[in-house]
Amino acid sequence: MPIALRGKAKAWQRRDRRTQFAIWSLWLAGTASFVFCCQFIADKTIWPFVFDAPEQVADLAVRMVPPDWTFIGVLWRPMWDTINMATLGTVMAIVLAVPIAYCAARNTTPSAAVLRPIAIFVIVSTRSINSLIWALMLVTIIGPGVLAGILAIGLRSIGFCAKLLYEAIEEIDEHQVEAVRAMGASAPQVAAYGIVPQVMPAFAGISVFRWDINIRESTVLGLVGAGGIGLPLNAAITTLAWTKVSLILLVILASVVVSEWISAKVRRAII
Amino acid sequence: MSVAATAPGGWRKPPVIKSAALRWAIWIGAVVYLAAAFGTTEVNWSRVWEGLPRGARFISAFLPPDFTTRSSEILEGMLESLWMTVVATAAGIVLAVPVGLGAARNVAPAPVYYLCRAFLAVSRSFQEIILAIFFVKFFGFGPFAGVVTLVVATIGFYGKLLAEDIEDVDPAQAEAVHATGAGWLQWINYGIQPQVMPRMLGLALYRLDINFRESAVVGIVGAGGIGATLDTAFNRYEFDSAAAILLIIIGLVMLMEYSSGFIRRWVQ
């Protein structure tokens, strides 16, 4: 316990001098780099536009109410496409994530030297590229449309699902696996009866959780041409039809709330 | 296990979902949905077929990627993304602390609690890109709009997790600090903060990582960062420059992930 002498009395201190100094210098370095970065951002900002913002907000608020409810009939189809992109993309990601997770988990990988690093690399690289960038890439390659959106969502989700799944596989109880193996089960039987039942709840939870995130992500993929509700959103913004924009935002908000509710419900039922 | 299970019929694996009706309903529902989804998805297969050579060209662009032709644009965009990440993470976390305190049931009074929870729910339900579109409209093109977007997203993420963590603290320790006659701020500082600090530091590093990845896309709608450069590279079919940018992003994210794991181990 760090104690300082004040005159002759001993006084309690939270930290000793060295730790205090180290923490203080970390704060100094952090603040300095923050200010340095702010300087760069400030140089690139056109300040009159920023000061103008309150008027812009007020102006837009007036233009956006009331939402144009007659437009809703056109939105069902893109909304259906959005949900399909999220769902089919999640299905695709799960199907691909299972073997990758199996190869990446330390206790199940067939070869720790070759397959595991490859699997880890696939997980990291698919996770670090945002679904919008995947969509941007796929739209230029296979053309605009729902398919590009499904693939973008799927590719982006592989890393996420595989990472959580392989962590779940690494945490299983080895005794159960050993018991199944001791009965003379082959490798596929060990996987089916020793590993799968243990990771099944985690697996279902991960899938539903990712589906919920994907609903949110697929609402914007239309901005780069990959189908869904983002297409009419983009069209409404570029034509400055703000009453339509506010309606689309309400629809998106509703779908996000509903999907979050479903996913919370399902996860509670599983766990 | 019942005796019947060891009868001559042999043992069968127990199903995950116990109720047979629910099990069948889920299967049939899934099949009907998939049929409907595939039936209504319009895919222009000739366009996909046409694009395959372009896809092959894109993949071959990774070997080797072209770092040099657009190096000044790439460097500028990358640095802008990094500055945005640092500023937005720091500012976002500083702002998230009061919101998170307000949204914790055991710290804040009821009206403040509901206000903060509502703010967190709304700020989390819109995608960063949608927020960015509006902030670009309000603040003009450039990194400032991107920073504001990331700050709002950071508050939503960090505030929620901080509030949940505060609600889970050990009340005995907090009460002990209370009993010494500590004021409210002292109570937070000595009773609550030491308990949530290790996890929150880890989450701050994680958010830094997320913000960097997001700063790479807000540029697509004009909010600064490497996204604009990447968008332009794709639109001009300069796949080798795009490949270079993607590799830099992957590399930096991996670097951040490794160093954050290292820092977390050092802190705990």
Side-chain angles (χ1 to χ4, degrees):
Chain A
M1 172 132 341
I3 288 172
L5 283 175
R6 279 211 194 113
K8 289 214 169 118
K10 285 178 178 173
W12 176 80
Q13 278 186 331
R14 195 168 167 188
R15 302 184 184 96
D16 62 36
R17 187 174 294 162
R18 260 185 71 185
T19 334
Q20 192 69 40
F21 188 72
I23 289 174
W24 184 83
S25 41
L26 271 179
W27 274 104
L28 183 68
T31 317
S33 52
F34 175 71
V35 172
F36 176 75
C37 296
C38 279
Q39 179 64 40
F40 274 90
I41 303 288
D43 282 349
K44 291 206 168 178
T45 306
I46 306 166
W47 289 103
F49 284 160
V50 176
F51 297 133
D52 196 28
E55 286 158 44
Q56 294 284 332
V57 174
D59 178 49
L60 202 63
V62 172
R63 283 165 196 253
M64 281 178 80
V65 248
D68 182 5
W69 288 101
T70 53
F71 189 55
I72 192 120
V74 191
L75 289 182
W76 295 120
R77 183 62 215 251
M79 204 57 228
W80 170 247
D81 283 344
T82 304
I83 294 169
N84 284 344
M85 288 193 320
T87 314
L88 298 180
T90 313
V91 170
M92 172 189 149
I94 292 167
V95 169
L96 292 173
V98 170
I100 293 174
Y102 188 80
C103 292
R106 237 175 245 117
N107 48 356
T108 55
T109 181
S111 87
V114 185
L115 276 179
R116 186 162 188 271
I118 295 175
I120 297 278
F121 177 75
V122 171
I123 290 174
V124 172
S125 53
T126 53
R127 233 158 54 85
S128 52
I129 297 177
N130 197 291
S131 54
L132 206 62
I133 296 180
W134 279 117
L136 197 67
M137 204 152 43
L138 287 163
V139 166
T140 48
I141 292 173
I142 61 171
V146 178
L147 184 68
I150 295 173
L151 292 179
I153 290 283
L155 286 169
R156 167 75 174 83
S157 312
I158 290 175
F160 180 93
C161 295
K163 181 177 196 290
L164 292 179
L165 191 59
Y166 97 72
E167 283 168 359
I169 295 178
E170 283 184 352
E171 280 168 16
I172 60 171
D173 179 9
E174 277 298 323
H175 293 108
Q176 297 183 30
V177 180
E178 212 183 311
V180 176
R181 199 175 288 136
M183 288 168 64
S186 63
Q189 282 174 326
V190 169
Y193 293 92
I195 299 171
V196 170
Q198 292 194 58
V199 296
M200 207 56 202
F203 176 69
I206 293 164
S207 325
V208 177
F209 183 40
R210 188 64 219 184
W211 174 77
D212 172 25
I213 299 176
N214 281 345
I215 289 272
R216 207 177 296 220
E217 298 217 326
S218 59
T219 56
V220 295
L221 293 185
L223 294 175
V224 293
I229 194 95
L231 281 177
L233 178 65
N234 199 19
I237 289 174
T238 39
T239 53
L240 306 178
W242 294 108
T243 50
K244 288 180 183 172
V245 172
S246 57
L247 179 72
I248 295 173
L249 291 184
L250 283 178
V251 171
I252 291 177
L253 194 63
S255 69
V256 168
V257 169
V258 170
S259 71
E260 205 159 276
W261 179 77
I262 293 175
S263 116
K265 221 32 187 194
V266 172
R267 267 185 292 162
R268 207 166 305 144
I270 296 167
I271 300 161
Chain B
M1 190 150 302
S2 64
V3 183
T6 55
W11 178 80
R12 284 175 78 184
K13 207 164 96 168
V16 181
I17 300 165
K18 300 251 164 18
S19 146
L22 181 65
R23 206 160 59 225
W24 280 103
I26 289 179
W27 273 112
I28 293 171
V31 169
V32 168
Y33 170 75
L34 284 180
F38 279 114
T40 53
T41 303
E42 286 157 15
V43 179
N44 185 351
W45 289 111
S46 62
R47 174 66 182 78
V48 173
W49 187 248
E50 222 172 85
L52 287 182
R54 207 176 294 160
R57 199 154 71 74
F58 178 65
I59 290 167
S60 64
F62 274 96
L63 344 140
D66 180 6
F67 288 96
T68 46
T69 320
R70 303 262 168 235
S71 60
S72 65
E73 284 90 345
I74 294 176
L75 186 69
E76 199 181 331
M78 270 299 160
L79 287 178
E80 202 171 288
S81 268
L82 280 177
W83 307 146
M84 281 165 58
T85 309
V86 172
V87 173
T89 311
I93 288 173
V94 168
L95 293 172
V97 169
V99 180
L101 279 173
R105 195 74 195 89
N106 51 351
V107 174
V112 179
Y113 170 76
Y114 287 115
L115 194 75
C116 289
R117 280 281 161 173
F119 175 76
L120 289 180
V122 172
S123 68
R124 264 163 31 83
S125 52
F126 284 114
Q127 250 278 322
E128 276 91 341
I129 301 299
I130 297 182
L131 292 176
I133 292 173
F134 279 88
F135 288 130
V136 167
K137 170 114 182 68
F138 295 153
F139 301 116
F141 285 94
F144 188 83
V147 168
V148 177
T149 309
L150 295 179
V151 165
V152 172
T154 306
I155 295 176
F157 171 90
Y158 202 77
K160 180 165 186 279
L161 292 172
L162 178 64
E164 274 163 15
D165 223 30
I166 292 177
E167 284 175 352
D168 284 344
V169 297
D170 178 7
Q173 292 182 36
E175 206 186 315
V177 175
H178 237 287
T180 60
W184 191 80
L185 272 179
Q186 287 174 319
W187 177 56
I188 296 290
N189 195 6
Y190 290 89
I192 307 277
Q193 191 230 20
Q195 294 194 51
V196 297
M197 207 55 191
R199 199 170 113 83
M200 290 336 273
L201 258 175
L203 281 173
L205 291 169
Y206 180 49
R207 187 66 218 186
L208 190 75
D209 177 23
I210 298 179
N211 274 349
F212 178 70
R213 275 183 269 173
E214 291 296 331
S215 77
V217 291
V218 291
I220 295 173
V221 294
I226 190 73
T229 323
L230 189 61
D231 193 19
T232 317
F234 273 120
N235 288 339
R236 300 173 74 175
Y237 298 109
E238 286 179 13
F239 288 145
D240 36 6
S241 298
I245 296 174
L246 289 178
L247 282 178
I248 296 176
I249 293 177
I250 295 176
L252 277 173
V253 169
M254 273 176 113
L255 191 74
M256 272 187 196
E257 216 156 275
Y258 273 111
S259 52
S260 85
F262 181 74
I263 292 172
R264 241 177 291 178
R265 225 167 301 140
W266 181 69
V267 167
Q268 278 158 9

